[in-house]
C-alpha cells in the first residue's frame, strides 16, 4: 500500500486495494476521461453529446482523480502548497496548487488545465513545466551552457513584461518563477502568493536593486538590475548575489550596498559581459535604461 497525501487536510493515508466493483456510471466516466485526457477536459462540455447527469460527473473533477505520493514531497511543496501529482484516469503527471476559495485561477498561465472546488479551497491543476532554475541545474549536470541568443530571448521577454506592466517593481523576479511551456518553450512568470517563498527567493539569492533594498522610491532602472541578475545567472550558472560562503547571508546585503560586484563569469562574449555590468551600476541614473536594454536584447535574440 502506498501513502497518499491530501493537500486539503494535510494528512497522509494508506491506500488499500479496491474490493467493491465500480458502478456503471463510474466505469463510463473513467472511460470517457481516459479518452479525452486531462489536457482537453475543458472542452468536454462543448464537444461531448452526453446526457446531463453523466456530463456533470465527467466535467467536474475532484481530488479522488489524482494521486499525490507522500514519499515524493519535499519541504518546498508544503511551503508553496504546490504538489506533484498523477492524474488517475490518463496517467498524466501534473501539479496541484491549493488556493483560497476567493482566489481566481491563473487563466493566463499557459500550463493551467483545470480547477475544482473542495470545501473552502480551490485546487488548480497545471501541466508540469520546467523553470529557469531547473534548466540551470540541467546545464550543471550535463556540463553544458546556455546559448547567448537564448539568454537574450529571455531577457527580451522579461523586459517586455516589465515595460508593458505585466510585472511591477514589487514583483519578486527570480529563476524559480520563470517557466517554459510547450515545445516552443513559451516563457511565462508564475508569481507566488506565499510571502515566505518570496523572502526565500532562489537559494536565498537577491535579485532586487540596491535602491529597492533600501526601500527608496525605485524607477524602471531597477528592472535593468534584475535582468542583469538573470543574465549573470545564465552565464555563471549561479546567482549573482547570494551567500557564497554559506555562513553569512547578511554580508551579501552589505556588499551590494557598498557596490561590491560578483566575480566575472568565465563564459560569455565580451559584448554580453559588458552589457551585464552596465546593469549593475549602483547609481540608478548611471544604469542602462530598460528601454535601451530591450533594444539590445531584440537585436541579439534573433
Amino acid at each position: 500500500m502506498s501513502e497518499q497525501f491530501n493537500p486539503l487536510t494535510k494528512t497522509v493515508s494508506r491506500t488499500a486495494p479496491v474490493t467493491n466493483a465500480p458502478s456503471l456510471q463510474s466505469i463510463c466516466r473513467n472511460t470517457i476521461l481516459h479518452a479525452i485526457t486531462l489536457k482537453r477536459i475543458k472542452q468536454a462540455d462543448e464537444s461531448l453529446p452526453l446526457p446531463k447527469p453523466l456530463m456533470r460527473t465527467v466535467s467536474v473533477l475532484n481530488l479522488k482523480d489524482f494521486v499525490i505520493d507522500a514519499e515524493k514531497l519535499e519541504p518546498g511543496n508544503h511551503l508553496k502548497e504546490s504538489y506533484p501529482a498523477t492524474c488517475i484516469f490518463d496517467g498524466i503527471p501534473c501539479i496541484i496548487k491549493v488556493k483560497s476559495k476567493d482566489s481566481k485561477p491563473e487563466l493566463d498561465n499557459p500550463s493551467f488545465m483545470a480547477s475544482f472546488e473542495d470545501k473552502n479551497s480551490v485546487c488548480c491543476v497545471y501541466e508540469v513545466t520546467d523553470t529557469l532554475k531547473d534548466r540551470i541545474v540541467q546545464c550543471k549536470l550535463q556540463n553544458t551552457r546556455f546559448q547567448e541568443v537564448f539568454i537574450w530571448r529571455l531577457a527580451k521577454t522579461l523586459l517586455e513584461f516589465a515595460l508593458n506592466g505585466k510585472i511591477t517593481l514589487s514583483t519578486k523576479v527570480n529563476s524559480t518563477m520563470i517557466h517554459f511551456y510547450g515545445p516552443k518553450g513559451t516563457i511565462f512568470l508564475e508569481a507566488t502568493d506565499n510571502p515566505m517563498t518570496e523572502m526565500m527567493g532562489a537559494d536565498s539569492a537577491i535579485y532586487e536593486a540596491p535602491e529597492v533594498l533600501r526601500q527608496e522610491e525605485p524607477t524602471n532602472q531597477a528592472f535593468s538590475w534584475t535582468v542583469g541578475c538573470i543574465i549573470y545567472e545564465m552565464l555563471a550558472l549561479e546567482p549573482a548575489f547570494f551567500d557564497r560562503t554559506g555562513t553569512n547571508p547578511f554580508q551579501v546585503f552589505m556588499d551590494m550596498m557598498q557596490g561590491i560586484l560578483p566575480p566575472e563569469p568565465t563564459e560569455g562574449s565580451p559584448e554580453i559581459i559588458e552589457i551585464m555590468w552596465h546593469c549593475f551600476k549602483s547609481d540608478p541614473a548611471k544604469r542602462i535604461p530598460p528601454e535601451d536594454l530591450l533594444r539590445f536584447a531584440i537585436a541579439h535574440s534573433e
Side-chain angles (χ1 to χ4, degrees):
M1 291 188 295
S2 62
E3 292 188 337
Q4 293 189 28
F5 179 77
N6 186 315
L8 300 175
T9 62
K10 306 295 190 293
T11 57
V12 175
S13 61
R14 291 183 176 272
T15 55
V18 178
T19 56
N20 298 328
S23 66
L24 178 59
Q25 186 181 63
S26 175
I27 294 174
C28 291
R29 179 182 187 270
N30 288 340
T31 301
I32 294 169
L33 288 175
H34 179 76
I36 65 175
T37 73
L38 180 59
K39 290 184 179 181
R40 295 188 294 167
I41 196 168
K42 290 185 291 186
Q43 305 170 11
D45 287 339
E46 303 172 357
S47 59
L48 297 179
L50 297 175
K52 288 186 178 180
L54 184 56
M55 177 59 73
R56 283 194 293 268
T57 66
V58 169
S59 60
V60 178
L61 295 172
N62 59 72
L63 202 54
K64 294 180 181 179
D65 292 319
F66 303 89
V67 173
I68 299 176
D69 189 339
E71 295 182 355
K72 295 182 179 179
L73 298 181
E74 299 178 353
N77 296 128
H78 299 289
L79 183 65
K80 299 176 183 178
E81 293 193 284
S82 176
Y83 307 96
T86 301
C87 182
I88 291 176
F89 53 78
D90 62 6
I92 291 179
C94 57
I95 300 293
I96 293 180
K97 295 186 179 183
V98 179
K99 301 175 179 288
S100 66
K101 203 167 185 177
D102 297 331
S103 63
K104 298 179 180 179
E106 300 172 69
L107 298 178
D108 58 341
N109 183 329
S111 68
F112 174 80
M113 290 191 286
S115 66
F116 55 93
E117 294 185 5
D118 196 314
K119 298 179 181 179
N120 296 320
S121 300
V122 175
C123 294
C124 297
V125 186
Y126 301 86
E127 290 185 57
V128 175
T129 57
D130 57 339
T131 66
L132 176 59
K133 186 67 177 178
D134 295 330
R135 294 197 175 189
I136 289 172
V137 171
Q138 291 173 12
C139 284
K140 288 182 177 180
L141 292 174
Q142 299 169 4
N143 195 27
T144 57
R145 295 284 175 170
F146 293 106
Q147 294 183 349
E148 285 193 18
V149 66
F150 179 75
I151 297 175
W152 283 122
R153 184 168 71 88
L154 178 53
K156 168 180 170 290
T157 302
L158 291 178
L159 289 161
E160 288 175 340
F161 284 166
L163 296 176
N164 293 335
K166 289 187 177 181
I167 58 176
T168 66
L169 291 168
S170 62
T171 304
K172 304 293 184 180
V173 177
N174 58 57
S175 59
T176 60
M177 70 175 294
I178 300 172
H179 288 250
F180 303 93
Y181 172 77
K184 294 184 179 180
T186 301
I187 300 167
F188 69 97
L189 302 184
E190 190 175 73
T192 175
D193 296 327
N194 191 321
M196 289 299 296
T197 58
E198 289 185 358
M199 290 173 62
M200 291 175 61
D203 293 337
S204 299
I206 302 172
Y207 296 78
E208 294 90 346
E211 64 270 20
V212 176
L213 299 177
R214 289 193 294 264
Q215 297 185 339
E216 297 173 356
E217 194 67 33
T219 65
N220 277 353
Q221 305 292 87
F223 285 128
S224 297
W225 181 284
T226 299
V227 172
C229 289
I230 296 298
I231 292 174
Y232 182 99
E233 191 165 355
M234 295 182 75
L235 290 172
L237 303 184
E238 68 175 14
F241 300 97
F242 76 109
D243 181 17
R244 286 175 167 80
T245 65
T247 59
N248 188 4
F250 295 102
Q251 187 62 45
V252 183
F253 289 92
M254 297 300 296
D255 289 346
M256 291 180 66
M257 295 304 142
Q258 296 172 13
I260 299 176
L261 296 177
E264 182 167 312
T266 57
E267 300 291 330
S269 66
E271 194 172 29
I272 196 171
I273 295 292
E274 181 182 4
I275 292 295
M276 180 196 71
W277 289 135
H278 280 295
C279 295
F280 288 150
K281 299 291 184 182
S282 297
D283 183 352
K286 297 180 180 179
R287 198 177 301 152
I288 181 172
E291 295 84 0
D292 293 348
L293 188 56
L294 175 58
R295 283 191 286 270
F296 200 95
I298 291 173
H300 291 77
S301 61
E302 298 176 354

